[in-house]
Amino acid sequence: MKYPAKKIPACTPSVHTGIHSKSWRPALAWTALLGLLLVLCIRMTLPEPIGDGVWSGALSFVHVSSSTVGNLTGPAEVMGLGIVTLALGGLTILAAEQITPGQWLQLALIAAVLAGAIAAIFTAANRFAALVGVFDLGMALAAGWSAGILCADPRRRQLLIVVLVGLLSAVTVKGFYQRYVEIPQTIVYFQKHQRQWLKESATRRNSTQVKLFISRLQSKEVTGFGILSDGFAEALIPLLLVGLVLAASGFLSKPNATKTGPIPPKEKPATAEQRKKIGEINLPDHLVLGAVLLLISLAGVVVLVFTRSKGGAAGFAICAVLLAWAWWKRTWLTAHRRAAIAAALVIIVIVTLGLLAYGFTHHGLPTRDLLYRWDYWTGAVRMIEKYPITGVGLNNFGYYYTQYKPPSAPEDVKDPHNMFIRMAAEAGLPAAIGFAALVLWGFLAALREDQKVVAADDRRTLPIMGLIAFALAWWLGRLALDHPGLGAPGAVGYDLTLTMLYAGAAVGGMLLANRLWQVINPEYQMVVAKAALLGAAGMVLYDQINMALDTGPIAMFFWVILGSFAVSRNSCCRRPGRDLTPQAEVPWRNIPGRRSGVVVGGGLCLFALALGALVWIPTARGTLSWDPSRYRQTFKQAIKTENWPAALRAADAVLARNTRSQNWLERKIGVEMQLGIDPRRTVLKLLSINRTDARVRLPYAQTSRSGLTVAQRLAQFKLALQLNSALPKEELERLSGPEVAEIHAEIKQLQSSKP
């Protein structure tokens, strides 16, 4: 059989043919999208790990012994959701009518980026954290790619908008509850149990980690369902823009925008005076629904203020102003789209070069916060110079930063607060180039293409019971993965109560958006899509100086939004009878490219099953050789019972799997001192990893129990003074005058006792 020589546009309206009447393909596409959004919503409402190694244990209902009240997302949860996302990507390929060459190239770029991240595992200090990072990165990229195919259908994009508003409602309620209930309760609890917590975690009261935790408690920063307020603020940018624009669309729409709400031609509508007489004033649905959504969105803006994130607030304000300007100049922008895109790229390049020029000439950037960022970036550059091809491994930046950061940098960080620099440092330059290409490709595709809207004769709400079932699955899945702990009295009931509160908010937001999307004017659908895309751009802008969108739930959120609105006109998962061409009457399995799609899609599903058997199950059971979590639990129990030999063995086991962890080196030194073992070797290793912090070396220079010789102690005292003098004078980490005087006195004492 011969195929038509001319390529047929995928979304050209035509008569129905029996060729594509396979009902399983549209159903499969809907299933893939629902699964993808379910994973996203669960991930966005799970607490994220932070700190050293930061993987807090295995999946709660598989490995209950690792569960505690407030359990963080563990590696099994991340890996499991990543595997599910990979399988959903395979289903997406099987469901797609056509996958364009450009999308195949995007998939190849994703595979290349992941290959670089996998290669970096074998150079990482913490291979397990790097392995989990690969799953996390793959989840984000695969979700964005799949969303780009699935959301080419405007009906499925409608589902995405509805879910985003539901997510906005849930996190807004969480923000207020956290501000006025959870944070005050946490402060009281921490004050009562501070000593016990410090003892069990073997953490010093004056450590940077504890100081940061206390300062954030005192500032009452709202973090949503996560740990970091900055990440929460970043996620709010597109959510708020979508909510506000959809609400404004309700106000701007006309009452008879759709066929569902026209005024009957033969009936004269009652006047306002007539309606007052009968005690009733009927407002159009679009006004009422728009007003309610506006109130929710404004409450979300208040929550954004509660995060105390200046960058998040500034990013949202910039995006809102740009969106208003774009609406004002929409006619000009439509006529000069290419010129506007080129101008935006030129401005970005000029601003970037200007910042770099300022930084190199002044050895820093203006303002204290930007000066810190410059320190992160310059330290990362030294790291990249050392590991240019493979990087140091995903989630491993913090283990190397203290060796490469400038002496004038007071902070130790887990990432360089820049998505592209982080990718280059952790996965290597080749992976970073591919990663940047994917980001640029997505935005250019979204700006180049006009989003399709739902036709007036096809405007209908999504099934209400289906949305309720989606919310139920979302919050039950979230509750299963974020187990409250079996040993805490009342914890389960308390968590269930909160789940009903947040799930109710999510259902209400989705039902509201579902109805509002039906009654707004069709042209406003495109404006909402552009608002979501602009929100993703705001996330990237914010991410250049604060977060790092490489791993984590915010990364997945970003890629899903970018992919959903960066669709190609040729990538529809089409529905029977709506967008088919008469010339396409060839057996489905003989359509060009379908066989390769079946092979790749089926291969991804099988690969996901293999990963589940080989990696996820051992991780969930706590038997994966790279996983140090079970040894951390053993250490914690040994400290409680003051079984110091067992604690030392557990610390050694952790350090064998996380060779550059300063926290665990400090814990091992403390245990060795308790046992009377010479900790000199461990102390020297710690000091070789952290070459730039004055306070880290002082405890070991001030005591002979550290095992250092007099000459080594003197050298560390002098180095501490030298590093301290390099810090800015107003820096809080800088040693005080009395501390410096005490060091000088100890130096004199050591010099007098030196033979």
Side-chain angles (χ1 to χ4, degrees), residues 207-223:
S207 67
T208 304
Q209 186 177 0
V210 174
K211 288 181 179 178
L212 181 62
F213 175 73
I214 294 175
S215 67
R216 283 181 170 162
L217 275 182
Q218 293 173 342
S219 67
K220 296 184 179 181
E221 293 179 0
V222 170
T223 61

Side-chain angles (χ1 to χ4, degrees), residues 111-126:
V113 171
L114 292 177
I118 292 171
I121 293 176
F122 301 98
T123 63
N126 188 338

Side-chain angles (χ1 to χ4, degrees), residues 587-600:
W588 176 83
R589 62 177 58 89
N590 291 335
I591 296 176
R594 287 308 309 160
R595 289 187 177 181
S596 60
V598 170
V599 171
V600 175

Side-chain angles (χ1 to χ4, degrees), residues 113 137 394 418-428 431-432 435 550:
V113 171
L137 175 64
L394 292 176
N418 183 290
M419 62 192 299
F420 303 115
I421 294 177
R422 181 188 174 191
M423 184 60 65
E426 292 190 339
F435 185 82
D550 300 345

Side-chain angles (χ1 to χ4, degrees), residues 329-656:
K329 295 290 186 180
R330 60 188 181 277
T331 304
W332 182 88
L333 287 173
T334 302
H336 303 85
R337 180 180 303 180
R338 291 186 178 181
I341 294 173
L345 293 175
V346 169
I347 291 173
I348 292 172
V349 171
I350 291 175
V351 171
T352 302
L353 293 177
L355 284 175
L356 292 176
Y358 185 96
F360 284 120
T361 55
H362 294 79
H363 304 288
L365 295 176
T367 77
R368 180 180 176 182
D369 289 340
L370 289 179
L371 178 61
Y372 285 166
R373 271 55 175 179
W374 184 258
D375 292 334
Y376 307 157
W377 301 338
T378 52
V381 168
R382 296 188 182 99
M383 199 184 302
I384 295 169
E385 290 174 349
K386 180 69 175 178
Y387 305 94
I389 304 300
T390 61
V392 299
L394 292 176
N395 297 324
N396 273 252
F397 182 89
Y399 300 127
Y400 292 81
Y401 177 66
T402 54
Q403 183 174 346
Y404 295 100
K405 73 174 186 176
S408 60
E411 291 187 329
D412 298 339
V413 291
K414 302 302 178 184
D415 65 73
H417 290 51
N418 183 290
M419 62 192 299
F420 303 115
I421 294 177
R422 181 188 174 191
M423 184 60 65
E426 292 190 339
L429 287 172
I433 293 172
F435 185 82
L438 288 170
V439 174
L440 183 62
W441 192 328
F443 280 113
L444 290 179
L447 292 172
R448 185 176 62 250
E449 301 290 347
D450 285 329
Q451 306 294 327
K452 290 172 283 295
V453 299
V454 179
D457 62 347
D458 196 28
R459 305 281 301 283
R460 59 186 186 276
T461 57
L462 299 167
I464 293 177
M465 293 307 299
L467 294 178
I468 295 175
F470 176 86
L472 182 65
W474 167 7
W475 288 97
L476 287 178
R478 191 260 180 190
L479 186 63
L481 294 181
D482 184 34
H483 197 283
L486 300 179
V492 175
Y494 181 70
D495 204 62
L496 283 172
T497 302
L498 291 182
T499 295
M500 288 188 289
L501 173 67
Y502 302 138
V507 170
M510 287 192 292
L511 295 180
L512 171 65
N514 189 30
R515 174 60 181 167
L516 185 55
W517 188 262
Q518 179 191 15
V519 298
I520 63 173
N521 288 21
E523 62 267 22
Y524 292 132
Q525 296 177 28
M526 188 182 300
V527 182
V528 175
K530 297 301 183 184
L533 182 67
L534 186 60
M539 294 177 73
V540 173
L541 175 65
Y542 181 59
D543 210 65
Q544 301 315 298
I545 59 171
N546 208 324
M547 302 301 292
L549 284 172
D550 300 345
T551 58
I554 309 302
M556 183 180 183
F557 182 59
F558 164 76
W559 283 105
V560 167
I561 292 178
L562 181 61
S564 299
F565 300 103
V567 297
S568 169
R569 62 169 63 93
N570 292 326
S571 62
C572 253
C573 296
R574 298 175 297 201
R575 289 175 293 158
R578 292 212 172 264
D579 46 13
L580 308 173
T581 59
Q583 296 131 306
E585 297 181 4
V586 294
W588 176 83
R589 62 177 58 89
N590 291 335
I591 296 176
R594 287 308 309 160
R595 289 187 177 181
S596 60
V598 170
V599 171
V600 175
L604 284 178
C605 293
L606 293 176
F607 184 55
L609 291 175
L611 285 177
L614 298 176
V615 182
W616 181 80
I617 291 178
T619 300
R621 298 180 62 185
T623 58
L624 193 71
S625 60
W626 287 353
D627 183 4
S629 61
R630 64 181 183 274
Y631 301 107
R632 288 199 293 267
Q633 293 295 326
T634 302
F635 179 86
K636 185 177 180 180
Q637 294 299 323
I639 291 295
K640 278 185 178 180
T641 59
E642 296 186 356
N643 186 347
W644 303 114
L648 181 61
R649 290 192 296 270
D652 282 332
V654 173
L655 287 168

Side-chain angles (χ1 to χ4, degrees), residues 1 16 133 153 196 261 273 282 288 386 451 476 498 573 577 694:
M1 179 177 293
H16 172 62
D153 185 298
Q196 179 184 355
E273 293 182 0
N282 295 318
V288 176
K386 180 69 175 178
Q451 306 294 327
L476 287 178
L498 291 182
C573 296

